[in-house]
Amino acid sequence: MLGRVTGITREVCLHGAQPPTDDTTAATQEVVSVQAEVRVPHSSLEVPEIGMERRGGSCAEESEAKRERDDGPKGITTPALPETVTGVRKLQRTLYRQAKSKPKWKAWSLYADASRRDILEAALQQVIKNKGAAGVDGERWEPLKENRELRKQWLGQLQEELKGKTYRPSPVRRVYILKENGKQRPLGIPTLKDRVVQTAVVLLLLPIFEADFHEHSYAYRPKRRAQQAVDAIKKALLTGRREVVDADLSGYFDTIPHMELLRLVKGRVSDGSILKLIKRWLRAPVVEEDPESGVKRVEKNRCGTPQGGVISPLLANLYLDGLDKAVNEGKQLKAVMVRFADDFVVLCRRGQGAEMHRRLKKWLEARKLKLNEEKTRIVDFERESFEFLGFRLSWRKSRRGKSYPHCEPSPKSCGKLLAAVREETERNTFWKEPETVVARINERVRGWIGYFDYAQRDEVFGKMQMQVCNRVRRWLWKKHAKSRAHYGPQYRNERLHEQYGLTRFPTNATRQCT
């Protein structure tokens, strides 16, 4: 029996059927672009849904569009491709409905859809949107964005490779970014071609696995964000679960075992060609270049799914989905686990934290994973605070004497923004125009505000406003070699905001996240 929807080919079937720049340095730009690749699947599905935007459509068309918007996983969308997007989105809805309604259903013929021109166009558009660094072959996305004829030719060649099954993944280029503790985080950068094919496969696999993922998993999923995870934590704290296991996994992305991961993928996908593609991506060798000598070293990838790969976050969520369900659906401890990628907290009732820690460790070791004991701790929330996703949560009393979980930007997050502002106002930037420097600062500040403009942030925002203004004021004073006091009438806050356009921190009513 085939799953049929208008515009959908017969590649979907029920289980059991027979198969039918400005002045930024090049090094900094590469790090930024590489970091962007880590969140590709998340950002690729944050595009607003495309509804009946053309006027003049019939009532039946509008009704069908509304029905399709209200059905299926919220946020399962594709980039805006007016000529081809309809078929892509319908196929995603079909896959989601089948998976949601039939827990044992498997998709056995997805490879033909991954080779479709509209799927590949949607994938390429998303890869171009996310930018990113070049892989081992040095091919970049800019020429394909600027030259429509070249893009058409490039996609046609890739489609022929997929249809003829001559496509082979290239090795992954490894680079490192510096972590806060001084250590380095390895990131793997696939080639442009590999990123496009991975994105095409993600467009098909995400709605299938999205039907199974637990609701308390928030990373790299459509229409989910960090603030919702914090909301879930606050809700659990208010139910009396105030003994918190603040956990972190040690090198999670680099230690996921391939065989066990592929076994989980096979639980929903029986298409041998898709499984073979995923296996090749996982086992693609890693190329690392010595920065001093320039000598390249090739290593085999025996475990892990490299951060930077488009499909890596989806596979990483899949491997920990069993833990999400084991904790949240456990009938003994009745704990609540909230996870964002490899960072998670488990909220228990008093006295249950040690037992939960023991069970977590046992579950992870059985699946060849390991807790980071340096970062994992048991917190008595009524006495001490903890940080999660850049927020600091603590137990406080309101002016009326009512206890509540207080949430605000953590000191570490504030320090990161101030460090970025200091970087833009160093002595070696005195030659720049004030408008240019302020514009760069505003980019950092607006991004920070967009993330932390949530919950009880007025006090922190007020302090950050003062420190950013002081830093800009001091830079202007030194640039123009003023002899008067820093805080004289020349560079008052109002002038910084009105004349130079420095962004104001909002300190009015808080914006709650739903």
Side-chain angles (χ1 to χ4, degrees), residues 381-395:
F381 186 68
E382 294 184 0
R383 297 183 179 181
E384 54 183 325
S385 62
F386 70 93
E387 295 183 6
F388 189 67
L389 304 179
F391 294 94
R392 182 172 67 177
L393 291 97
S394 57
W395 194 243

Side-chain angles (χ1 to χ4, degrees), residues 197-346:
V197 181
Q198 286 187 24
T199 304
V201 173
V202 166
L203 289 174
L204 301 176
L205 294 185
L206 181 58
I208 297 173
F209 291 117
E210 184 68 22
D212 297 332
F213 285 157
H214 195 274
E215 61 177 349
H216 282 170
S217 170
Y218 292 92
Y220 312 119
R221 294 182 62 190
K223 297 295 183 179
R224 289 176 178 264
R225 52 195 182 278
Q227 292 82 355
Q228 292 174 319
V230 175
D231 276 340
I233 292 174
K234 291 161 66 176
K235 183 177 179 180
L237 290 169
L238 291 172
T239 62
R241 296 174 174 86
R242 300 189 191 122
E243 192 162 283
V244 182
V245 181
D246 183 9
D248 183 81
L249 295 181
S250 181
Y252 172 58
F253 281 84
D254 300 323
T255 56
I256 301 175
H258 291 167
M259 289 184 61
E260 288 80 354
L261 177 59
L262 287 170
R263 191 177 297 119
L264 292 175
V265 176
K266 290 178 182 178
R268 276 299 197 178
V269 179
S270 60
D271 187 327
S273 298
I274 291 291
L275 294 173
K276 189 178 293 185
L277 271 182
I278 296 175
K279 185 177 181 179
R280 286 173 175 167
W281 286 328
L282 291 175
R283 296 188 176 180
V286 176
V287 177
E288 185 174 345
E289 182 176 350
D290 189 294
E292 297 180 358
S293 63
V295 177
K296 295 182 179 180
R297 184 176 68 255
V298 180
E299 299 178 356
K300 292 183 178 180
N301 187 22
R302 302 187 183 277
C303 65
T305 172
Q307 296 187 61
V310 179
I311 201 170
S312 296
L314 175 62
L315 297 179
N317 271 340
L318 176 62
Y319 199 68
L320 283 182
D321 184 59
L323 179 61
D324 296 332
K325 294 172 181 175
V327 175
N328 287 295
E329 298 173 7
K331 297 182 179 180
Q332 257 188 325
L333 300 181
K334 296 183 179 180
V336 173
M337 173 176 165
V338 178
R339 182 174 64 85
F340 196 93
D342 57 340
D343 294 323
F344 61 91
V345 293
V346 183

Side-chain angles (χ1 to χ4, degrees), residues 240 242-244 333 348-356 378 380:
R242 300 189 191 122
E243 192 162 283
V244 182
L333 300 181
C348 315
R349 299 196 181 275
R350 186 173 296 278
Q352 296 180 345
E355 174 62 16
M356 177 55 67
I378 300 176
D380 183 353

Side-chain angles (χ1 to χ4, degrees), residues 450-502:
Y451 183 83
F452 289 106
D453 188 9
Y454 164 78
Q456 301 86 11
R457 70 349 179 207
D458 282 15
E459 181 181 353
V460 174
F461 274 25
K463 293 179 180 179
M464 294 296 291
Q465 175 77 81
M466 179 183 67
Q467 294 186 61
V468 171
C469 284
N470 287 347
R471 185 69 191 184
V472 174
R473 181 169 26 247
R474 185 178 181 85
W475 182 84
L476 288 168
W477 184 81
K478 288 186 175 181
K479 173 182 173 63
H480 297 119
K482 297 296 182 182
S483 58
R484 297 182 181 180
H486 292 175
Y487 301 97
Q490 288 181 316
Y491 300 120
R492 293 185 183 276
N493 287 357
E494 289 303 316
R495 184 181 179 188
L496 296 180
H497 296 309
E498 294 177 5
Q499 179 177 336
Y500 293 101
L502 185 63

Side-chain angles (χ1 to χ4, degrees), residues 2 5 10 20 25 42 45 61 63 81 100 119 138 176 181 188 254 281 341 351 356-357 370 459 465 486 509:
L2 302 179
V5 173
R10 60 176 185 172
T25 63
H42 182 59
L45 298 168
E61 289 175 331
S63 177
L81 298 173
K100 193 68 174 177
I119 297 285
Y176 292 90
N181 56 9
D254 300 323
W281 286 328
M356 177 55 67
H357 180 272
K370 186 179 179 181
E459 181 181 353
Q465 175 77 81
H486 292 175

